[in-house]
Amino acid sequence: QQACLASGGKVIVVAADALTEDNKSKKAAVYHNIGNSLFAQQQYAEAVAAYKNALRNNPKDDETRYNLAYAQQMLQQLYSNK
């Protein structure tokens, strides 16, 4: 499995062996937190991807669903202002 980590404004893909299929809720929480970190760095496209990964592992997470919608809105605003 893989997870994205934010580092110096770049997204680095690293192996995340601890995130197995058996532990989807933990995997969802990790992706949710990655999304939050990326959002805070205004990396909205990467945050959207992280939130989508979180929802693949926990589709019932309303907080992640809200964050995804907000990140998508910010991304749309970013592109409409260019």
Side-chain angles (χ1 to χ4, degrees):
Q1 302 295 327
Q2 293 186 337
C4 297
L5 296 178
S7 172
K10 293 174 81 175
V11 176
I12 301 170
V13 176
V14 297
D17 295 332
L19 303 176
T20 64
E21 259 324 284
D22 299 335
N23 203 342
K24 285 192 160 212
S25 64
K26 183 179 257 187
K27 192 180 209 180
V30 169
Y31 278 117
H32 177 93
N33 290 334
I34 291 168
N36 289 346
S37 295
L38 292 165
F39 187 92
Q41 295 177 34
Q42 298 180 347
Q43 295 181 357
Y44 302 122
E46 293 86 351
V48 165
Y51 292 135
K52 285 181 179 181
N53 280 326
L55 288 171
R56 283 186 192 100
N57 289 283
N58 183 4
K60 296 180 181 182
D61 186 347
D62 290 333
E63 185 178 348
T64 299
R65 191 174 310 286
Y66 174 84
N67 288 3
L68 171 61
Y70 191 38
Q72 288 172 324
Q73 180 182 0
M74 295 301 289
L75 189 59
Q76 185 177 10
Q77 285 179 7
L78 183 67
Y79 285 119
S80 67
N81 290 335
K82 287 188 174 184

PDB file of all heavy atoms in Angstrom, residues 1-17 19 27 29-39 41 43 46-47 49-50 53:
ATOM      1  N   GLN A   1       0.835  -1.178   0.000  1.00  0.00           N
ATOM      2  CA  GLN A   1       0.000   0.000   0.000  1.00  0.00           C
ATOM      3  C   GLN A   1       0.879   1.240   0.000  1.00  0.00           C
ATOM      4  O   GLN A   1       2.036   1.193   0.370  1.00  0.00           O
ATOM      5  CB  GLN A   1      -0.897  -0.004   1.238  1.00  0.00           C
ATOM      6  CG  GLN A   1      -1.794  -1.221   1.366  1.00  0.00           C
ATOM      7  CD  GLN A   1      -2.810  -1.307   0.254  1.00  0.00           C
ATOM      8  OE1 GLN A   1      -3.273  -0.299  -0.231  1.00  0.00           O
ATOM      9  NE2 GLN A   1      -3.130  -2.496  -0.184  1.00  0.00           N
ATOM     10  N   GLN A   2       0.297   2.381  -0.391  1.00  0.00           N
ATOM     11  CA  GLN A   2       1.055   3.618  -0.415  1.00  0.00           C
ATOM     12  C   GLN A   2       0.246   4.737   0.211  1.00  0.00           C
ATOM     13  O   GLN A   2      -0.974   4.719   0.195  1.00  0.00           O
ATOM     14  CB  GLN A   2       1.412   4.004  -1.846  1.00  0.00           C
ATOM     15  CG  GLN A   2       2.387   3.049  -2.484  1.00  0.00           C
ATOM     16  CD  GLN A   2       2.827   3.547  -3.826  1.00  0.00           C
ATOM     17  OE1 GLN A   2       2.149   4.325  -4.464  1.00  0.00           O
ATOM     18  NE2 GLN A   2       3.985   3.098  -4.259  1.00  0.00           N
ATOM     19  N   ALA A   3       0.928   5.695   0.753  1.00  0.00           N
ATOM     20  CA  ALA A   3       0.301   6.888   1.310  1.00  0.00           C
ATOM     21  C   ALA A   3       1.106   8.096   0.856  1.00  0.00           C
ATOM     22  O   ALA A   3       2.293   7.997   0.589  1.00  0.00           O
ATOM     23  CB  ALA A   3       0.280   6.821   2.834  1.00  0.00           C
ATOM     24  N   CYS A   4       0.459   9.234   0.769  1.00  0.00           N
ATOM     25  CA  CYS A   4       1.131  10.468   0.393  1.00  0.00           C
ATOM     26  C   CYS A   4       1.508  11.226   1.650  1.00  0.00           C
ATOM     27  O   CYS A   4       0.730  11.316   2.579  1.00  0.00           O
ATOM     28  CB  CYS A   4       0.199  11.350  -0.432  1.00  0.00           C
ATOM     29  SG  CYS A   4      -0.286  10.621  -1.981  1.00  0.00           S
ATOM     30  N   LEU A   5       2.696  11.782   1.669  1.00  0.00           N
ATOM     31  CA  LEU A   5       3.125  12.636   2.765  1.00  0.00           C
ATOM     32  C   LEU A   5       3.576  13.958   2.190  1.00  0.00           C
ATOM     33  O   LEU A   5       4.261  14.003   1.174  1.00  0.00           O
ATOM     34  CB  LEU A   5       4.285  11.996   3.541  1.00  0.00           C
ATOM     35  CG  LEU A   5       3.995  10.695   4.256  1.00  0.00           C
ATOM     36  CD1 LEU A   5       5.265  10.179   4.922  1.00  0.00           C
ATOM     37  CD2 LEU A   5       2.916  10.882   5.299  1.00  0.00           C
ATOM     38  N   ALA A   6       3.196  15.029   2.846  1.00  0.00           N
ATOM     39  CA  ALA A   6       3.602  16.357   2.397  1.00  0.00           C
ATOM     40  C   ALA A   6       4.970  16.676   2.973  1.00  0.00           C
ATOM     41  O   ALA A   6       5.224  16.438   4.135  1.00  0.00           O
ATOM     42  CB  ALA A   6       2.586  17.393   2.859  1.00  0.00           C
ATOM     43  N   SER A   7       5.849  17.192   2.133  1.00  0.00           N
ATOM     44  CA  SER A   7       7.194  17.533   2.595  1.00  0.00           C
ATOM     45  C   SER A   7       7.695  18.707   1.780  1.00  0.00           C
ATOM     46  O   SER A   7       7.912  18.575   0.586  1.00  0.00           O
ATOM     47  CB  SER A   7       8.119  16.338   2.438  1.00  0.00           C
ATOM     48  OG  SER A   7       9.442  16.687   2.708  1.00  0.00           O
ATOM     49  N   GLY A   8       7.874  19.820   2.439  1.00  0.00           N
ATOM     50  CA  GLY A   8       8.418  20.986   1.761  1.00  0.00           C
ATOM     51  C   GLY A   8       7.616  21.416   0.557  1.00  0.00           C
ATOM     52  O   GLY A   8       8.171  21.827  -0.436  1.00  0.00           O
ATOM     53  N   GLY A   9       6.291  21.299   0.615  1.00  0.00           N
ATOM     54  CA  GLY A   9       5.441  21.706  -0.486  1.00  0.00           C
ATOM     55  C   GLY A   9       5.342  20.676  -1.592  1.00  0.00           C
ATOM     56  O   GLY A   9       4.647  20.874  -2.566  1.00  0.00           O
ATOM     57  N   LYS A  10       6.043  19.568  -1.478  1.00  0.00           N
ATOM     58  CA  LYS A  10       5.979  18.509  -2.482  1.00  0.00           C
ATOM     59  C   LYS A  10       5.253  17.315  -1.881  1.00  0.00           C
ATOM     60  O   LYS A  10       5.285  17.092  -0.694  1.00  0.00           O
ATOM     61  CB  LYS A  10       7.385  18.077  -2.893  1.00  0.00           C
ATOM     62  CG  LYS A  10       8.161  19.148  -3.629  1.00  0.00           C
ATOM     63  CD  LYS A  10       9.561  18.720  -3.882  1.00  0.00           C
ATOM     64  CE  LYS A  10       9.608  17.827  -5.091  1.00  0.00           C
ATOM     65  NZ  LYS A  10      10.984  17.465  -5.452  1.00  0.00           N
ATOM     66  N   VAL A  11       4.604  16.568  -2.728  1.00  0.00           N
ATOM     67  CA  VAL A  11       3.957  15.347  -2.264  1.00  0.00           C
ATOM     68  C   VAL A  11       4.880  14.188  -2.584  1.00  0.00           C
ATOM     69  O   VAL A  11       5.303  13.999  -3.710  1.00  0.00           O
ATOM     70  CB  VAL A  11       2.591  15.144  -2.953  1.00  0.00           C
ATOM     71  CG1 VAL A  11       1.972  13.831  -2.536  1.00  0.00           C
ATOM     72  CG2 VAL A  11       1.669  16.293  -2.600  1.00  0.00           C
ATOM     73  N   ILE A  12       5.221  13.450  -1.553  1.00  0.00           N
ATOM     74  CA  ILE A  12       6.118  12.309  -1.694  1.00  0.00           C
ATOM     75  C   ILE A  12       5.318  11.044  -1.456  1.00  0.00           C
ATOM     76  O   ILE A  12       4.562  10.945  -0.497  1.00  0.00           O
ATOM     77  CB  ILE A  12       7.270  12.397  -0.672  1.00  0.00           C
ATOM     78  CG1 ILE A  12       8.047  13.693  -0.886  1.00  0.00           C
ATOM     79  CG2 ILE A  12       8.181  11.194  -0.795  1.00  0.00           C
ATOM     80  CD1 ILE A  12       9.037  13.994   0.183  1.00  0.00           C
ATOM     81  N   VAL A  13       5.456  10.087  -2.334  1.00  0.00           N
ATOM     82  CA  VAL A  13       4.771   8.814  -2.159  1.00  0.00           C
ATOM     83  C   VAL A  13       5.724   7.864  -1.449  1.00  0.00           C
ATOM     84  O   VAL A  13       6.848   7.682  -1.883  1.00  0.00           O
ATOM     85  CB  VAL A  13       4.329   8.233  -3.518  1.00  0.00           C
ATOM     86  CG1 VAL A  13       3.697   6.875  -3.347  1.00  0.00           C
ATOM     87  CG2 VAL A  13       3.384   9.194  -4.206  1.00  0.00           C
ATOM     88  N   VAL A  14       5.269   7.305  -0.339  1.00  0.00           N
ATOM     89  CA  VAL A  14       6.095   6.382   0.434  1.00  0.00           C
ATOM     90  C   VAL A  14       5.314   5.110   0.706  1.00  0.00           C
ATOM     91  O   VAL A  14       4.091   5.105   0.759  1.00  0.00           O
ATOM     92  CB  VAL A  14       6.547   7.009   1.771  1.00  0.00           C
ATOM     93  CG1 VAL A  14       7.423   8.218   1.538  1.00  0.00           C
ATOM     94  CG2 VAL A  14       5.376   7.366   2.634  1.00  0.00           C
ATOM     95  N   ALA A  15       6.039   4.023   0.873  1.00  0.00           N
ATOM     96  CA  ALA A  15       5.400   2.751   1.215  1.00  0.00           C
ATOM     97  C   ALA A  15       4.866   2.845   2.629  1.00  0.00           C
ATOM     98  O   ALA A  15       5.499   3.381   3.514  1.00  0.00           O
ATOM     99  CB  ALA A  15       6.417   1.617   1.100  1.00  0.00           C
ATOM    100  N   ALA A  16       3.672   2.326   2.831  1.00  0.00           N
ATOM    101  CA  ALA A  16       3.053   2.349   4.157  1.00  0.00           C
ATOM    102  C   ALA A  16       2.596   0.937   4.485  1.00  0.00           C
ATOM    103  O   ALA A  16       1.433   0.587   4.352  1.00  0.00           O
ATOM    104  CB  ALA A  16       1.887   3.336   4.180  1.00  0.00           C
ATOM    105  N   ASP A  17       3.552   0.117   4.890  1.00  0.00           N
ATOM    106  CA  ASP A  17       3.262  -1.284   5.143  1.00  0.00           C
ATOM    107  C   ASP A  17       2.253  -1.494   6.263  1.00  0.00           C
ATOM    108  O   ASP A  17       1.534  -2.483   6.281  1.00  0.00           O
ATOM    109  CB  ASP A  17       4.553  -2.034   5.492  1.00  0.00           C
ATOM    110  CG  ASP A  17       5.510  -2.062   4.319  1.00  0.00           C
ATOM    111  OD1 ASP A  17       5.039  -2.012   3.166  1.00  0.00           O
ATOM    112  OD2 ASP A  17       6.723  -2.126   4.559  1.00  0.00           O
ATOM    113  N   LEU A  19      -0.402   0.033   6.738  1.00  0.00           N
ATOM    114  CA  LEU A  19      -1.764   0.278   6.271  1.00  0.00           C
ATOM    115  C   LEU A  19      -2.228  -0.883   5.394  1.00  0.00           C
ATOM    116  O   LEU A  19      -2.206  -0.817   4.192  1.00  0.00           O
ATOM    117  CB  LEU A  19      -1.818   1.599   5.495  1.00  0.00           C
ATOM    118  CG  LEU A  19      -1.337   2.820   6.261  1.00  0.00           C
ATOM    119  CD1 LEU A  19      -1.356   4.039   5.368  1.00  0.00           C
ATOM    120  CD2 LEU A  19      -2.176   3.047   7.495  1.00  0.00           C
ATOM    121  N   LYS A  27      -6.377   3.301   7.953  1.00  0.00           N
ATOM    122  CA  LYS A  27      -5.944   3.791   6.649  1.00  0.00           C
ATOM    123  C   LYS A  27      -6.733   5.048   6.275  1.00  0.00           C
ATOM    124  O   LYS A  27      -6.167   6.036   5.820  1.00  0.00           O
ATOM    125  CB  LYS A  27      -6.171   2.695   5.614  1.00  0.00           C
ATOM    126  CG  LYS A  27      -5.528   2.906   4.290  1.00  0.00           C
ATOM    127  CD  LYS A  27      -5.869   1.720   3.406  1.00  0.00           C
ATOM    128  CE  LYS A  27      -4.826   1.447   2.397  1.00  0.00           C
ATOM    129  NZ  LYS A  27      -5.181   0.309   1.555  1.00  0.00           N
ATOM    130  N   ALA A  29      -8.155   7.164   8.315  1.00  0.00           N
ATOM    131  CA  ALA A  29      -7.736   8.255   9.195  1.00  0.00           C
ATOM    132  C   ALA A  29      -6.410   8.854   8.727  1.00  0.00           C
ATOM    133  O   ALA A  29      -6.228  10.078   8.761  1.00  0.00           O
ATOM    134  CB  ALA A  29      -7.624   7.758  10.631  1.00  0.00           C
ATOM    135  N   VAL A  30      -5.495   8.008   8.278  1.00  0.00           N
ATOM    136  CA  VAL A  30      -4.205   8.505   7.787  1.00  0.00           C
ATOM    137  C   VAL A  30      -4.417   9.365   6.542  1.00  0.00           C
ATOM    138  O   VAL A  30      -3.886  10.482   6.450  1.00  0.00           O
ATOM    139  CB  VAL A  30      -3.235   7.336   7.490  1.00  0.00           C
ATOM    140  CG1 VAL A  30      -2.011   7.816   6.726  1.00  0.00           C
ATOM    141  CG2 VAL A  30      -2.828   6.652   8.783  1.00  0.00           C
ATOM    142  N   TYR A  31      -5.197   8.883   5.596  1.00  0.00           N
ATOM    143  CA  TYR A  31      -5.457   9.665   4.384  1.00  0.00           C
ATOM    144  C   TYR A  31      -6.197  10.959   4.706  1.00  0.00           C
ATOM    145  O   TYR A  31      -5.940  12.002   4.096  1.00  0.00           O
ATOM    146  CB  TYR A  31      -6.231   8.851   3.352  1.00  0.00           C
ATOM    147  CG  TYR A  31      -5.360   7.938   2.532  1.00  0.00           C
ATOM    148  CD1 TYR A  31      -5.516   6.564   2.583  1.00  0.00           C
ATOM    149  CD2 TYR A  31      -4.377   8.450   1.690  1.00  0.00           C
ATOM    150  CE1 TYR A  31      -4.714   5.717   1.823  1.00  0.00           C
ATOM    151  CE2 TYR A  31      -3.577   7.610   0.922  1.00  0.00           C
ATOM    152  CZ  TYR A  31      -3.750   6.252   0.994  1.00  0.00           C
ATOM    153  OH  TYR A  31      -2.959   5.429   0.244  1.00  0.00           O
ATOM    154  N   HIS A  32      -7.122  10.910   5.661  1.00  0.00           N
ATOM    155  CA  HIS A  32      -7.843  12.115   6.079  1.00  0.00           C
ATOM    156  C   HIS A  32      -6.853  13.156   6.611  1.00  0.00           C
ATOM    157  O   HIS A  32      -6.908  14.331   6.238  1.00  0.00           O
ATOM    158  CB  HIS A  32      -8.879  11.756   7.156  1.00  0.00           C
ATOM    159  CG  HIS A  32      -9.613  12.928   7.700  1.00  0.00           C
ATOM    160  ND1 HIS A  32     -10.815  13.355   7.190  1.00  0.00           N
ATOM    161  CD2 HIS A  32      -9.301  13.785   8.708  1.00  0.00           C
ATOM    162  CE1 HIS A  32     -11.216  14.419   7.866  1.00  0.00           C
ATOM    163  NE2 HIS A  32     -10.314  14.696   8.793  1.00  0.00           N
ATOM    164  N   ASN A  33      -5.948  12.721   7.468  1.00  0.00           N
ATOM    165  CA  ASN A  33      -4.956  13.638   8.040  1.00  0.00           C
ATOM    166  C   ASN A  33      -3.992  14.166   6.989  1.00  0.00           C
ATOM    167  O   ASN A  33      -3.591  15.333   7.031  1.00  0.00           O
ATOM    168  CB  ASN A  33      -4.198  12.959   9.182  1.00  0.00           C
ATOM    169  CG  ASN A  33      -5.078  12.743  10.386  1.00  0.00           C
ATOM    170  OD1 ASN A  33      -6.054  13.458  10.596  1.00  0.00           O
ATOM    171  ND2 ASN A  33      -4.751  11.749  11.186  1.00  0.00           N
ATOM    172  N   ILE A  34      -3.622  13.323   6.049  1.00  0.00           N
ATOM    173  CA  ILE A  34      -2.780  13.772   4.932  1.00  0.00           C
ATOM    174  C   ILE A  34      -3.517  14.842   4.142  1.00  0.00           C
ATOM    175  O   ILE A  34      -2.944  15.872   3.774  1.00  0.00           O
ATOM    176  CB  ILE A  34      -2.368  12.586   4.040  1.00  0.00           C
ATOM    177  CG1 ILE A  34      -1.391  11.684   4.792  1.00  0.00           C
ATOM    178  CG2 ILE A  34      -1.775  13.077   2.727  1.00  0.00           C
ATOM    179  CD1 ILE A  34      -1.142  10.356   4.113  1.00  0.00           C
ATOM    180  N   GLY A  35      -4.804  14.597   3.890  1.00  0.00           N
ATOM    181  CA  GLY A  35      -5.622  15.596   3.188  1.00  0.00           C
ATOM    182  C   GLY A  35      -5.644  16.918   3.924  1.00  0.00           C
ATOM    183  O   GLY A  35      -5.519  17.988   3.321  1.00  0.00           O
ATOM    184  N   ASN A  36      -5.796  16.862   5.238  1.00  0.00           N
ATOM    185  CA  ASN A  36      -5.802  18.087   6.037  1.00  0.00           C
ATOM    186  C   ASN A  36      -4.473  18.831   5.933  1.00  0.00           C
ATOM    187  O   ASN A  36      -4.444  20.064   5.816  1.00  0.00           O
ATOM    188  CB  ASN A  36      -6.102  17.777   7.498  1.00  0.00           C
ATOM    189  CG  ASN A  36      -7.539  17.359   7.723  1.00  0.00           C
ATOM    190  OD1 ASN A  36      -8.392  17.531   6.868  1.00  0.00           O
ATOM    191  ND2 ASN A  36      -7.808  16.805   8.888  1.00  0.00           N
ATOM    192  N   SER A  37      -3.372  18.097   5.977  1.00  0.00           N
ATOM    193  CA  SER A  37      -2.047  18.718   5.860  1.00  0.00           C
ATOM    194  C   SER A  37      -1.864  19.369   4.495  1.00  0.00           C
ATOM    195  O   SER A  37      -1.357  20.493   4.393  1.00  0.00           O
ATOM    196  CB  SER A  37      -0.952  17.680   6.086  1.00  0.00           C
ATOM    197  OG  SER A  37      -0.997  17.206   7.403  1.00  0.00           O
ATOM    198  N   LEU A  38      -2.270  18.675   3.464  1.00  0.00           N
ATOM    199  CA  LEU A  38      -2.146  19.217   2.112  1.00  0.00           C
ATOM    200  C   LEU A  38      -3.049  20.436   1.927  1.00  0.00           C
ATOM    201  O   LEU A  38      -2.655  21.420   1.301  1.00  0.00           O
ATOM    202  CB  LEU A  38      -2.477  18.140   1.081  1.00  0.00           C
ATOM    203  CG  LEU A  38      -1.460  17.006   1.005  1.00  0.00           C
ATOM    204  CD1 LEU A  38      -2.031  15.824   0.237  1.00  0.00           C
ATOM    205  CD2 LEU A  38      -0.168  17.490   0.381  1.00  0.00           C
ATOM    206  N   PHE A  39      -4.256  20.375   2.482  1.00  0.00           N
ATOM    207  CA  PHE A  39      -5.175  21.506   2.391  1.00  0.00           C
ATOM    208  C   PHE A  39      -4.566  22.732   3.061  1.00  0.00           C
ATOM    209  O   PHE A  39      -4.629  23.839   2.524  1.00  0.00           O
ATOM    210  CB  PHE A  39      -6.515  21.151   3.054  1.00  0.00           C
ATOM    211  CG  PHE A  39      -7.566  22.203   2.858  1.00  0.00           C
ATOM    212  CD1 PHE A  39      -8.445  22.138   1.790  1.00  0.00           C
ATOM    213  CD2 PHE A  39      -7.676  23.261   3.742  1.00  0.00           C
ATOM    214  CE1 PHE A  39      -9.404  23.120   1.601  1.00  0.00           C
ATOM    215  CE2 PHE A  39      -8.629  24.246   3.566  1.00  0.00           C
ATOM    216  CZ  PHE A  39      -9.501  24.179   2.487  1.00  0.00           C
ATOM    217  N   GLN A  41      -1.590  23.514   3.268  1.00  0.00           N
ATOM    218  CA  GLN A  41      -0.521  24.024   2.404  1.00  0.00           C
ATOM    219  C   GLN A  41      -1.059  24.539   1.074  1.00  0.00           C
ATOM    220  O   GLN A  41      -0.295  24.824   0.161  1.00  0.00           O
ATOM    221  CB  GLN A  41       0.508  22.919   2.146  1.00  0.00           C
ATOM    222  CG  GLN A  41       1.233  22.475   3.384  1.00  0.00           C
ATOM    223  CD  GLN A  41       2.184  21.326   3.083  1.00  0.00           C
ATOM    224  OE1 GLN A  41       2.763  21.251   2.005  1.00  0.00           O
ATOM    225  NE2 GLN A  41       2.340  20.445   4.041  1.00  0.00           N
ATOM    226  N   GLN A  43      -2.506  22.927  -1.202  1.00  0.00           N
ATOM    227  CA  GLN A  43      -2.320  21.944  -2.270  1.00  0.00           C
ATOM    228  C   GLN A  43      -3.651  21.206  -2.430  1.00  0.00           C
ATOM    229  O   GLN A  43      -3.818  20.067  -2.016  1.00  0.00           O
ATOM    230  CB  GLN A  43      -1.184  20.997  -1.916  1.00  0.00           C
ATOM    231  CG  GLN A  43       0.158  21.680  -1.843  1.00  0.00           C
ATOM    232  CD  GLN A  43       1.277  20.725  -1.516  1.00  0.00           C
ATOM    233  OE1 GLN A  43       1.074  19.544  -1.277  1.00  0.00           O
ATOM    234  NE2 GLN A  43       2.496  21.247  -1.502  1.00  0.00           N
ATOM    235  N   GLU A  46      -4.069  17.763  -4.480  1.00  0.00           N
ATOM    236  CA  GLU A  46      -3.520  16.631  -3.735  1.00  0.00           C
ATOM    237  C   GLU A  46      -4.390  16.295  -2.524  1.00  0.00           C
ATOM    238  O   GLU A  46      -4.567  15.127  -2.179  1.00  0.00           O
ATOM    239  CB  GLU A  46      -2.085  16.932  -3.286  1.00  0.00           C
ATOM    240  CG  GLU A  46      -1.099  17.051  -4.428  1.00  0.00           C
ATOM    241  CD  GLU A  46      -1.025  18.449  -5.049  1.00  0.00           C
ATOM    242  OE1 GLU A  46      -1.860  19.324  -4.710  1.00  0.00           O
ATOM    243  OE2 GLU A  46      -0.126  18.675  -5.886  1.00  0.00           O
ATOM    244  N   ALA A  47      -4.953  17.335  -1.891  1.00  0.00           N
ATOM    245  CA  ALA A  47      -5.864  17.114  -0.761  1.00  0.00           C
ATOM    246  C   ALA A  47      -7.109  16.367  -1.217  1.00  0.00           C
ATOM    247  O   ALA A  47      -7.566  15.442  -0.533  1.00  0.00           O
ATOM    248  CB  ALA A  47      -6.247  18.446  -0.116  1.00  0.00           C
ATOM    249  N   ALA A  49      -7.340  14.268  -3.664  1.00  0.00           N
ATOM    250  CA  ALA A  49      -6.955  12.865  -3.878  1.00  0.00           C
ATOM    251  C   ALA A  49      -6.850  12.118  -2.548  1.00  0.00           C
ATOM    252  O   ALA A  49      -7.301  10.971  -2.434  1.00  0.00           O
ATOM    253  CB  ALA A  49      -5.632  12.795  -4.634  1.00  0.00           C
ATOM    254  N   ALA A  50      -6.275  12.762  -1.549  1.00  0.00           N
ATOM    255  CA  ALA A  50      -6.135  12.119  -0.240  1.00  0.00           C
ATOM    256  C   ALA A  50      -7.501  11.870   0.391  1.00  0.00           C
ATOM    257  O   ALA A  50      -7.756  10.786   0.946  1.00  0.00           O
ATOM    258  CB  ALA A  50      -5.267  12.976   0.679  1.00  0.00           C
ATOM    259  N   ASN A  53      -9.136   8.943  -1.224  1.00  0.00           N
ATOM    260  CA  ASN A  53      -8.572   7.691  -0.709  1.00  0.00           C
ATOM    261  C   ASN A  53      -9.139   7.362   0.662  1.00  0.00           C
ATOM    262  O   ASN A  53      -9.411   6.204   0.973  1.00  0.00           O
ATOM    263  CB  ASN A  53      -7.043   7.770  -0.648  1.00  0.00           C
ATOM    264  CG  ASN A  53      -6.404   7.535  -1.993  1.00  0.00           C
ATOM    265  OD1 ASN A  53      -6.902   6.754  -2.792  1.00  0.00           O
ATOM    266  ND2 ASN A  53      -5.309   8.201  -2.247  1.00  0.00           N
TER     267      ASN A  53
END
